[in-house]
Amino acid sequence: MTGKPKLETVAREAGVSIATASQVMRGAGRISDKTRSKVLKAAQKLHYVPDNRAASMRSGQNREIGFVINKISNPFNAEVISGVSDLLEAEGYLVSVLDARDDPDRQGRHIDAFIRNGRGGLLWVPAEQTPHKTFDLLTAHRIPTVTFLRRPEGSGFDHVGIRNAEATALATHHLAGLGHRHIAYLGGEELTAVRRERIAGYEATMSERDLGPAVIWDSNDIKQAGMEAMMALRAAHPETTAVVCNGDIVALGACHGIRRLGLEPGRDVSVVGFDDIPDAAVATPPLTTMAVSPYQLGRRLARVMLERLSEPDGPVSVSEVSAELVLRATTGPV
Amino acid sequence: MTGKPKLETVAREAGVSIATASQVMRGAGRISDKTRSKVLKAAQKLHYVPDNRAASMRSGQNREIGFVINKISNPFNAEVISGVSDLLEAEGYLVSVLDARDDPDRQGRHIDAFIRNGRGGLLWVPAEQTPHKTFDLLTAHRIPTVTFLRRPEGSGFDHVGIRNAEATALATHHLAGLGHRHIAYLGGEELTAVRRERIAGYEATMSERDLGPAVIWDSNDIKQAGMEAMMALRAAHPETTAVVCNGDIVALGACHGIRRLGLEPGRDVSVVGFDDIPDAAVATPPLTTMAVSPYQLGRRLARVMLERLSEPDGPVSVSEVSAELVLRATTGPV
DNA sequence: GACACATGGTATAACGTTATATCAAGATTA
DNA sequence: TAATCTTGATATAACGTTATACCATGTGTC
């Protein structure tokens, strides 16, 4: 075996032309069964693997989809990735994941490389502070793009997201219904679009039901930080009896913090999370949280991409999924 | 703007030949400052983005590295990915992650697509049950490959891994030193290579120090399963006062199980984890565990890849990193 | 003034596919 | 029998780069 076998090698081995070999490999054109099997046999014998670069360059098609996401380790994201790839792989596409870690530069490099390699489509959670030229680049190169979770304003891309404001409103109503009046919003650091929406839902409900005053407390998105933030929050606002959290990880941290203060989550202070990550169900006590099935969300995302791919000039689709309140043990009456 | 700009478009705009434009874009060859800036300006004006497929096809070079891994959501893996990409990106490479979810088929498809696209290098945690032809394919196509964690026997690939047997031996010695005699090994399901090594280290120490008898108890790698397995283990072997765990997630589950039995981790039953995931430090009680810095491991992996890339025919490098015992609160005297 | 040599630029053949047009030969029809 | 259609296969020009070889100039050197 000397050098990578190419279509020419296979064709020669099978005693046919390159064009014929190509058609057999793609299952296209009109080829007799006899020559088809001849070519197939030759390809197998030589361990022929087609070169996608040449193929996609010539055909203008590429069944590789990129998924630019921001925290690969978040179990929620991981499930989304599973949903996305299960569906797309079943359709013969291949999904590769790029973690931008919320850094616009890194994201830019990824998308650049993506365009350079002529990939077939892009699933994308745009980093906050994404420069405009990134959008322009994608539109200019006519890359089928679906944004996820974060919807850059004025973008003409398809989008799949979560009804954030609705979800936190629901959570706040739930707590208010249990008699809580001093409900705080805990978690997140910067005013990202998603967080802004969630806070809006919370604040709207607070003023609608005349509760208050609204308290927003920042926290980094790790357990430890959530714990510390909860303790600091209670120190500053001892009247707080319930918190709506920006995410489950912070919520779980908050529960630890409550314990540290000698109190019991769900009895003394109620906590609602967001995401319903696997740990939420098995934590002690199990976490009440806003759930959207990430796997299903991933499938939805994939479906939108498939539609866009099959109809490049179809209408822009924007779909938002509602979150459900999953009642567990961290919320209770005052 | 009509159609994607290519090198030819840029060259025409700048009034030079394609060859010259190409040299400018690559910063190669001998070009005067005057024409260089002419070309650069033209490229910018036209928003030219080179096509990597054509380039890599012609040059035989590709600075895209694939990382085939098995559970993207595992925080340990996520950190490894960070370490890998930080180093490789600094060197101008780009890392895309493919999650094979331990399915040899999916893995096969990924690697296939990988070869098809002529990527530059492969970092790879081989799925158990990886068929031989996958190895052969990679060697035949001379893809620079570094395996990670799992080292397929007889593979001629570079490798970076953890000294598993040494680590569990250390853990077992530690427990024995605290006076424990009935130490069990908890976690893992199938006899993967890694688990085999870890069990070997545990068993060797058990017999070496004449403890025993050795007990191996299976568990799926999620918290809930760890909890249930721990309770079942104690039911079957009530004399057990310590467990060495296959991973932190199971270990944290085990701690829950111990609590459920009305006992206290670290006082009544000692637990040692493996991986030192972020949660280990903030759990209650904080988990004693075997730590290898996944970030550093990722960097090491990247470095091995860089060496291989710069010296394709250099000697095969196999490096194994020792794990350290991190003492926290889940181990104590009998 | 003949020679070498450095400098700046260009023409052109690959790289491995696929799409298009074309062709030969046998089958069908009028 | 000539004209048309089908079937199965092929030749060839792209796709957008880069590497190689080459060709003009100008610049020293003896």
Side-chain angles (χ1 to χ4, degrees):
Chain A
M1 188 181 309
T2 147
K4 249 196 257 183
K6 40 181 185 166
L7 218 37
E8 193 200 331
T9 332
V10 174
R12 198 167 29 210
E13 171 81 21
V16 299
S17 74
I18 298 186
T20 305
S22 168
Q23 297 195 72
V24 170
M25 294 317 289
R26 285 176 293 141
R30 290 173 310 201
I31 303 289
S32 72
D33 287 356
K34 208 173 62 184
T35 45
R36 177 188 312 286
S37 68
K38 253 198 312 190
V39 172
L40 254 28
K41 203 172 298 173
Q44 221 157 16
K45 178 175 166 197
L46 297 171
H47 300 292
Y48 170 68
V49 178
D51 187 321
N52 213 267
R53 292 170 296 185
S56 91
M57 200 162 92
R58 175 63 234 252
S59 70
Q61 308 237 310
N62 195 341
R63 299 178 81 79
E64 279 200 300
I65 306 285
F67 192 174
V68 174
I69 202 168
N70 284 313
K71 207 178 160 198
I72 234 173
S73 65
N74 186 318
F76 184 87
N77 288 339
E79 275 294 300
V80 172
I81 294 170
S82 289
V84 162
S85 19
D86 277 355
L87 192 56
L88 285 177
E89 283 176 12
E91 296 288 325
Y93 290 86
L94 200 108
V95 179
S96 63
V97 180
L98 304 165
D99 191 348
R101 288 183 260 164
D102 237 327
D103 171 354
D105 272 6
R106 199 192 312 274
Q107 171 186 274
R109 284 200 303 273
H110 280 156
I111 290 183
D112 222 56
F114 182 89
I115 292 175
R116 268 215 263 284
N117 287 280
R119 293 277 161 67
L122 174 64
L123 302 168
W124 183 27
V125 183
E128 297 292 331
Q129 314 288 347
T130 298
H132 233 297
K133 65 164 205 197
T134 307
F135 303 126
D136 297 343
L137 207 59
L138 284 166
T139 2
H141 286 263
R142 320 189 108 261
I143 306 278
T145 300
V146 184
T147 53
F148 181 52
L149 297 181
R150 300 180 188 160
R151 184 158 141 80
E153 33 191 332
S155 96
F157 300 128
D158 293 322
H159 180 79
V160 172
I162 296 175
R163 278 192 249 277
N164 286 299
E166 184 195 273
T168 43
L170 206 63
T172 314
H173 274 299
H174 165 61
L175 291 169
L178 289 169
H180 296 277
R181 298 196 53 80
H182 293 281
I183 307 172
Y185 189 89
L186 178 69
E189 275 184 312
E190 286 149 59
L191 219 52
T192 63
V194 167
R195 185 166 178 240
R196 201 164 20 232
E197 289 170 25
R198 294 188 183 174
I199 289 178
Y202 154 77
E203 281 180 333
T205 310
M206 290 297 278
S207 70
E208 186 185 314
R209 298 189 67 143
D210 203 22
L211 308 169
V215 174
I216 316 286
W217 204 267
D218 291 4
S219 162
N220 197 337
D221 192 30
I222 54 175
K223 235 188 219 179
Q224 179 91 36
M227 182 184 81
E228 287 159 7
M230 182 71 225
M231 293 168 72
L233 165 61
R234 275 282 298 202
H237 301 276
E239 73 282 5
T240 306
T241 60
V243 287
V244 174
C245 293
N246 197 54
D248 278 354
I249 295 178
V250 167
L252 292 174
C255 289
H256 274 157
I258 291 165
R259 279 255 177 77
R260 278 270 184 110
L261 295 170
L263 304 172
E264 187 59 26
R267 195 192 58 198
D268 305 311
V269 181
S270 287
V271 176
V272 182
F274 208 118
D275 288 346
D276 196 20
I277 63 175
D279 271 7
V282 296
T284 42
L287 186 70
T288 292
T289 188
M290 301 306 305
V292 182
S293 158
Y295 185 82
Q296 291 304 330
L297 211 49
R299 290 182 70 94
R300 164 93 63 120
L301 186 57
R303 212 150 333 149
V304 172
M305 174 54 85
L306 287 171
E307 254 160 51
R308 171 59 55 210
L309 288 168
S310 71
E311 220 176 320
D313 297 314
V316 173
S317 126
V318 174
S319 64
E320 301 211 295
V321 180
S322 292
E324 290 175 16
L325 179 65
V326 177
L327 289 173
R328 296 212 184 89
T330 55
T331 51
V334 184
Chain B
M1 186 179 310
T2 146
K4 250 195 256 184
K6 39 180 184 166
L7 219 36
E8 193 199 332
T9 332
V10 175
R12 199 167 28 210
E13 171 82 20
V16 298
S17 74
I18 298 185
T20 305
S22 168
Q23 297 194 73
V24 171
M25 294 317 290
R26 284 175 294 141
R30 292 171 309 202
I31 304 288
S32 73
D33 286 356
K34 208 174 62 185
T35 44
R36 178 189 311 286
S37 68
K38 254 196 314 189
V39 172
L40 254 26
K41 203 172 298 172
Q44 222 157 17
K45 178 176 167 196
L46 297 171
H47 300 292
Y48 170 69
V49 178
D51 188 322
N52 213 266
R53 293 169 295 185
S56 91
M57 199 162 93
R58 175 62 235 250
S59 71
Q61 307 236 311
N62 195 340
R63 299 178 81 79
E64 279 200 300
I65 306 284
F67 193 174
V68 173
I69 203 169
N70 284 314
K71 207 178 160 195
I72 235 172
S73 66
N74 186 318
F76 184 87
N77 288 337
E79 276 294 299
V80 171
I81 294 171
S82 289
V84 162
S85 21
D86 278 354
L87 192 56
L88 285 176
E89 283 176 11
E91 296 288 326
Y93 290 86
L94 199 107
V95 179
S96 63
V97 180
L98 304 165
D99 191 347
R101 289 184 260 163
D102 236 328
D103 171 355
D105 272 6
R106 199 191 313 273
Q107 171 186 274
R109 283 200 303 273
H110 281 157
I111 291 183
D112 221 56
F114 181 90
I115 292 175
R116 270 215 261 284
N117 285 280
R119 294 276 163 66
L122 173 65
L123 302 169
W124 182 28
V125 183
E128 297 292 330
Q129 316 287 346
T130 298
H132 232 297
K133 65 164 207 196
T134 307
F135 303 127
D136 297 344
L137 207 59
L138 285 165
T139 2
H141 287 263
R142 321 189 105 261
I143 307 279
T145 301
V146 184
T147 53
F148 181 52
L149 298 181
R150 299 179 187 162
R151 183 157 142 80
E153 32 191 333
S155 96
F157 301 128
D158 293 323
H159 180 78
V160 173
I162 296 175
R163 280 193 248 277
N164 286 299
E166 184 193 273
T168 43
L170 207 63
T172 314
H173 274 299
H174 165 61
L175 292 169
L178 290 169
H180 295 277
R181 299 194 52 80
H182 292 280
I183 308 172
Y185 189 89
L186 178 69
E189 274 184 313
E190 285 150 59
L191 219 50
T192 63
V194 167
R195 187 167 177 239
R196 201 161 23 229
E197 289 169 25
R198 294 190 182 172
I199 289 177
Y202 154 77
E203 281 179 333
T205 310
M206 289 297 278
S207 69
E208 187 185 313
R209 298 189 68 144
D210 202 22
L211 310 169
V215 174
I216 317 286
W217 203 268
D218 291 5
S219 162
N220 197 337
D221 192 29
I222 55 176
K223 237 188 218 177
Q224 179 91 36
M227 182 184 82
E228 287 159 6
M230 182 71 224
M231 293 168 73
L233 165 61
R234 276 283 297 203
H237 301 275
E239 72 282 6
T240 306
T241 60
V243 287
V244 174
C245 292
N246 197 54
D248 278 354
I249 296 178
V250 166
L252 291 173
C255 289
H256 274 157
I258 292 164
R259 280 255 177 76
R260 280 269 184 110
L261 295 170
L263 304 172
E264 187 59 27
R267 193 191 60 196
D268 305 310
V269 181
S270 287
V271 176
V272 182
F274 208 117
D275 287 347
D276 196 21
I277 63 175
D279 272 7
V282 296
T284 42
L287 187 69
T288 292
T289 188
M290 300 307 304
V292 182
S293 158
Y295 185 81
Q296 291 304 331
L297 212 48
R299 288 183 72 91
R300 163 93 63 119
L301 187 56
R303 212 152 330 152
V304 172
M305 174 55 84
L306 287 170
E307 255 160 51
R308 170 60 54 208
L309 287 168
S310 72
E311 219 176 319
D313 297 314
V316 173
S317 125
V318 174
S319 65
E320 301 211 295
V321 179
S322 292
E324 289 175 17
L325 180 64
V326 177
L327 289 174
R328 295 211 184 91
T330 56
T331 50
V334 185

